[in-house]
Amino acid sequence: MTQAPEIKVARLVLSLEQAMPLTSDVGITVTGMPAIESASIRSVVRSLENYRLRLPLHLPVADGHGIRRFKGREFVDVAPGEIVQVRQDATTGEYRATLPVESTASGPTLVLDPRTMLWGAEQMSIPGEIDNVMSARPHPDLTDHKPSMATEAAIEPGRLYEGRDDVFERRASRTVEIVARGISQFGPQHSAILRAELSATHRIFSDAGNGLAANYVEAGSIFQGYFGKHHALVRAQLADCLSRGEALSTEYQGPWGQDKFVGVKFDQDRRAWMYSIDFHGRFFISLNHLEEGNFAAVLGHEMLHTNRINRFKSVGPGALDFFYLDARMGNALDRPVPVYDIPERGVSEAIMQGGMTVAYLEGFTSDHSSFTNGVRDGLGLSGKLDVQAAVDLFNVIPSLRTWMASRNADSIIYAAKSMQALHQARTADSQLLIGLLES
């Protein structure tokens, strides 16, 4: 999941007063930033010229993701004493600078530098050198995205873990105890399970991609179950997601990926989670759930949330969590749930037929902003939607359901599992036929 859930034309520079109405009981006085600024600040925020605001004294402090929220609007710090209003793209999960008069953000994509908790334009916000690598003598190749074959053997376990005690670790530590940083610090049994599940995750994406390329007749019904009757419109997007997932699962098994797994001692509700704005691309793994099985799909789900990850060449698809697929909540849907070997397929099929309910969403979380924002952005609406209105729109507009499902992490990973099962079955049939012909 992208955010770790609770326990389950030139424009004038605008002031914050212009950005949103202020009631008389909020004592905030704001002005636009002056035209003259230091070269160091200007080099970071030059592309944000039309979006800059001076930080009001009483604006709420930033949360663990570096976001300040006030009256339904979101702001991020781009320099000391300076903020920019942002809007999250429901498709990619990225934050973009926006003006208050816009229903869709027009500014550049911004990313957080977790070391300073300042945001900057994507192309210049992340430094080339990461200075918190746990190594007394950095390897000469550490500035590359990936080591050469000649240097892979020289990389020692535990040297590459990045982000110790950063904002993401601190946020996780509020509710869980971190006991392992990197697979090498997991216990032998858990380490073996995690490595095996990582390999299984790779096979899910690889087999599903091969099955998609084979164009099996049965694939149409699988895709319709996960993406609705307009599934043909998102086939290319799905193929891209599978390709990215396969590449990512390879890199997570490589030397740069070994230390991107953080073990936590116990979590009642979460099997694994990650923070989509964590540039280190770490997965927090609940050790008490690791032996339950089916962890490959969990890892695949989390990989689909990623975007750019330091030291990786691959870039994730940035999928979101609009809704989850869980057969245990199937009775809360407004449609019968068909039974399949992969039960999530039946749940998805009921949802894609227009069977979503508020009760189903409530079974996972009380925060429905991801779902409502997805409906709003998918339809190009402005303003907020209450959850019932969003569910009603979702159920009556098939193309909206397809659009959201094609960007939904659970829909993608379980569609991949169903395609893997089909591909493996067809491959086994082919091998049996060849054996019979040769005998």
Side-chain angles (χ1 to χ4, degrees), residues 187-226:
Q189 181 180 5
H190 288 152
S191 176
I193 292 173
L194 188 53
R195 292 180 190 278
E197 295 295 331
L198 271 170
S199 179
T201 302
H202 181 271
R203 289 195 300 274
I204 290 175
F205 287 122
S206 176
D207 288 346
N210 290 333
L212 185 63
N215 201 25
Y216 299 128
V217 173
E218 301 93 331
S221 62
I222 291 177
F223 294 147
Q224 181 161 336
Y226 286 104

Side-chain angles (χ1 to χ4, degrees), residues 107-289:
T109 297
L110 304 180
V111 291
L112 176 69
D113 182 344
R115 301 174 306 166
T116 64
M117 294 305 291
L118 295 177
W119 293 65
E122 183 175 33
Q123 66 273 19
M124 61 185 83
S125 62
I126 302 298
E129 289 283 338
I130 304 296
D131 60 6
N132 60 350
V133 177
M134 293 172 58
S135 174
R137 290 168 45 190
H139 193 280
D141 285 335
L142 284 182
T143 55
D144 295 336
H145 287 287
K146 191 174 182 180
S148 65
M149 294 297 292
T151 61
E152 285 187 2
I155 299 173
E156 301 172 5
R159 290 187 57 191
L160 305 180
Y161 183 81
E162 299 166 330
R164 177 185 284 271
D165 298 325
D166 67 358
V167 63
F168 303 109
E169 279 203 0
R170 293 197 300 272
R171 180 175 175 84
S173 296
R174 295 174 190 172
T175 55
V176 295
E177 178 186 356
I178 294 176
V179 295
R181 294 178 172 91
I183 292 180
S184 64
Q185 292 187 8
F186 282 61
Q189 181 180 5
H190 288 152
S191 176
I193 292 173
L194 188 53
R195 292 180 190 278
E197 295 295 331
L198 271 170
S199 179
T201 302
H202 181 271
R203 289 195 300 274
I204 290 175
F205 287 122
S206 176
D207 288 346
N210 290 333
L212 185 63
N215 201 25
Y216 299 128
V217 173
E218 301 93 331
S221 62
I222 291 177
F223 294 147
Q224 181 161 336
Y226 286 104
F227 306 107
K229 66 180 182 179
H230 298 295
H231 61 86
L233 299 177
V234 297
R235 184 185 178 95
Q237 181 178 336
L238 176 60
D240 180 68
C241 287
L242 297 178
S243 177
R244 291 173 184 267
E246 182 178 358
L248 282 168
S249 58
T250 298
E251 296 214 56
Y252 271 108
Q253 294 178 81
W256 300 112
Q258 298 295 289
D259 285 324
K260 295 186 181 297
F261 295 89
V262 180
V264 302
K265 187 174 183 180
F266 180 89
D267 192 285
Q268 181 66 40
D269 302 305
R270 297 170 295 182
R271 301 186 69 184
W273 72 93
M274 59 95 60
Y275 302 92
S276 60
I277 58 175
D278 176 12
F279 190 55
H280 303 311
R282 289 165 295 182
F283 297 157
F284 291 79
I285 307 295
S286 302
L287 300 184
N288 57 303
H289 293 301

Side-chain angles (χ1 to χ4, degrees), residues 4-80:
E6 297 303 323
I7 301 304
K8 269 257 172 7
V9 146
R11 297 182 174 91
L12 297 176
V13 175
L14 300 176
S15 71
L16 189 56
E17 289 173 317
Q18 295 169 289
M20 57 188 176
L22 295 176
T23 57
S24 58
D25 61 336
V26 180
I28 300 179
T29 302
V30 295
T31 59
M33 288 295 292
I36 300 176
E37 57 190 3
S38 70
S40 61
I41 293 179
R42 188 174 185 85
S43 66
V44 175
V45 298
R46 183 180 300 138
S47 62
L48 302 176
E49 186 73 27
N50 298 323
Y51 304 88
R52 296 174 294 126
L53 304 166
R54 182 181 293 279
L55 174 64
L57 181 61
H58 300 297
L59 191 68
V61 298
D63 62 16
H65 304 294
I67 300 173
R68 301 174 184 265
R69 293 180 171 85
F70 184 69
K71 290 192 173 183
R73 298 174 184 264
E74 296 180 322
F75 302 85
V76 299
D77 295 4
V78 294

Side-chain angles (χ1 to χ4, degrees), residues 50 68 96 101-102 149 175 228 230 240 245 274 363 375 389-390 400 413 419 429 437 439:
N50 298 323
R68 301 174 184 265
R96 296 183 61 187
V101 296
E102 297 175 326
M149 294 297 292
T175 55
H230 298 295
D240 180 68
M274 59 95 60
V375 171
L400 174 63
I413 190 59
M419 280 300 299
D429 289 343
L437 293 174
S439 61

